Amino acid sequence: MKRWMILLLLVCLTMGLTGCAGEAATYEKYTMSFFHTFDTLVQIIGYAENMDVFTEVTGRAQAEFERLHRIFDAYAPYDGVNNLYTVNRDAAGGPVPAEPELIDLLLFCRDRQAQAGDLVNVAMGSVLSIWHDYRTQGEGDPENAELPPMALLEEAAQHIDFDDVVIDEEAGTVYFADPELSLDVGAVAKGYATELVAQMLLASEMPSFIIGAGGNIRAGDPPLDGRLRWGISVQSPDEPVFGDNASLDVLYFANASAVTSGDYQRYYIVDGQRYHHIISPETLMPADFLRAVTVVTEDSGWADFLSTTLFLMPYEEGRALVDSLEGVEALWVLPDGTIEMSDGMKTMARSQGASSR
């Protein structure tokens, strides 16, 4: 899963008051955060009538994030939960009951994979687990860090056909027709979960909010301090998160999501060269077309899926894909540092004249 923070919530938000349709109610800005869910820091900023409302709403949001984390966790079992770990462990032996949210996520991925050109494949777990193991070993013992043997990766790549994942929606089960197959939903699970929580907040007493879950940002209704849009900072690939030049640009929007994929947070070093975690299904190696790409669209799960997809494409192919999709905008950072934006992204970017008003 993406565990890094590449989009920073702007901390310069001021506490404000607003009236709604002539009502006298006032709204204050509150902030809370928690860790470990999806192995990342989650922050929620919201405008609520009082602290009690904020605490109650965000308490439910945190509980939902934690519940979804258990369902989508590929590394540990939980009592009473038929999660991704359970499916990967047992589905080769026959149909395995799975939580409804996991079934829905897999169906979402199947549909989106075809729509986005098959580069993001959650059935690629056999390959990604090899990279995960070598990266973990290399992080713990840098002097002996190694690349996975290509023969090992090529053998694993014989077992990544999503058509071998048999999903019975009515029965709520998953079966692997290929016993060597395994699932890895890291390219989409955090964004998908963030969207489910966002829908909960939009229906709550606090629809004015912004969620930051690592590199996944989901904004609800506009901030209730007179601004029309939230502002988020896109991190430069070459600067520390809290460095003086960390912000590459600022994007302004409401009721939308922004997700970034990049090569500069989860990686390890082998013989002086950096190898990041976003693996191409075509080469079985880390993709090298881009430094980073940020996607803005309404659904955070789709934004998460697309950011990985675009990172695995040359800019020209990715631009053509974005231009073909309704309601999707993107910002690319090319290897030489050049920044490209889709036309709609330019209307959101401070560098192009956009603002929160």
Side-chain angles (χ1 to χ4, degrees):
M1 299 179 181
K2 299 189 188 97
R3 297 174 183 153
W4 60 97
M5 184 169 289
I6 22 191
L7 292 172
L8 305 173
L9 293 182
L10 293 183
V11 296
C12 59
L13 297 170
T14 58
M15 189 171 293
L17 303 177
T18 186
C20 292
E23 296 178 3
T26 61
Y27 296 86
E28 295 190 41
K29 179 175 72 73
Y30 301 96
T31 303
M32 66 90 72
S33 59
F34 53 95
F35 197 61
H36 297 309
T37 299
F38 290 95
D39 298 321
T40 195
L41 176 70
V42 177
Q43 183 181 31
I44 302 176
I45 297 173
Y47 284 83
E49 290 189 48
N50 53 61
M51 186 64 178
D52 288 342
V53 171
F54 179 79
T55 300
E56 193 277 330
V57 171
T58 55
R60 285 191 279 125
Q62 180 176 353
E64 183 67 356
F65 262 119
E66 291 171 349
R67 187 181 74 88
L68 293 168
H69 169 79
R70 291 191 290 271
I71 291 172
F72 300 147
D73 192 345
Y75 298 100
Y78 299 89
D79 290 341
V81 180
N82 289 329
N83 68 351
L84 184 60
Y85 175 91
T86 307
V87 169
N88 277 338
R89 184 189 65 193
D90 299 338
V96 176
E99 300 299 325
E101 293 84 358
L102 181 54
I103 295 288
D104 291 343
L105 174 59
L106 294 178
L107 293 172
F108 174 90
C109 290
R110 174 166 285 169
D111 291 341
R112 298 299 187 171
Q113 178 178 330
Q115 187 176 0
D118 291 322
L119 286 177
V120 174
N121 176 9
V122 298
M124 200 173 163
S126 58
V127 170
L128 298 182
S129 64
I130 294 171
W131 273 105
H132 175 272
D133 291 346
Y134 273 78
R135 185 173 64 250
T136 300
Q137 192 279 331
E139 291 170 342
D141 185 10
E143 292 186 0
N144 295 305
E146 297 179 325
L147 293 180
M150 182 53 66
L152 183 63
L153 294 171
E154 289 174 343
E155 169 57 29
Q158 303 304 307
H159 308 285
I160 61 172
D161 189 344
F162 205 165
D163 288 341
D164 287 327
V165 181
V166 182
I167 303 169
D168 188 328
E169 293 182 63
E170 184 174 348
T173 61
V174 180
Y175 165 64
F176 295 164
D178 180 350
E180 301 299 318
L181 182 146
S182 67
L183 296 168
D184 185 317
V185 297
V188 65
K190 187 165 56 179
Y192 190 85
T194 300
E195 184 62 30
L196 292 178
V197 173
Q199 292 302 319
M200 172 189 293
L201 294 182
L202 286 169
S204 76
E205 303 89 336
M206 194 188 73
S208 172
F209 65 88
I210 188 164
I211 302 170
N216 300 63
I217 305 297
R218 178 52 157 102
D221 291 352
L224 297 179
D225 59 4
R227 290 173 299 146
L228 301 177
R229 287 168 282 276
W230 298 89
I232 62 145
S233 177
V234 182
Q235 186 189 335
S236 168
D238 297 313
E239 296 291 335
V241 171
F242 297 110
D244 292 339
N245 299 309
S247 180
L248 189 70
D249 208 331
V250 177
L251 306 178
Y252 297 100
F253 57 79
N255 292 303
S257 301
V259 179
T260 294
S261 291
D263 67 0
Y264 49 91
Q265 290 290 335
R266 285 179 58 199
Y267 62 86
Y268 74 122
I269 306 294
V270 180
D271 296 330
Q273 184 170 342
R274 182 169 59 181
Y275 293 87
H276 63 78
H277 74 294
I278 307 177
I279 307 303
S280 168
E282 297 175 338
T283 66
L284 307 181
M285 296 291 290
D288 59 3
F289 299 116
L290 305 168
R291 295 298 315 283
V293 60
T294 298
V295 171
V296 174
T297 191
E298 182 176 353
D299 185 287
S300 190
W302 185 213
D304 206 356
F305 195 98
L306 275 177
S307 71
T308 306
T309 297
L310 295 178
F311 191 85
L312 293 169
M313 291 180 169
Y315 163 69
E316 293 78 9
E317 292 182 20
R319 180 62 182 264
L321 175 61
V322 169
D323 289 344
S324 74
L325 297 171
E326 184 176 355
V328 174
E329 306 298 341
L331 178 155
W332 293 261
V333 182
L334 277 56
D336 65 359
T338 300
I339 297 172
E340 299 285 353
M341 299 184 197
S342 62
D343 293 341
M345 185 67 89
K346 292 178 182 178
T347 68
M348 306 178 203
R350 184 171 66 183
S351 65
Q352 305 298 310
S355 74
S356 61
R357 300 291 180 175

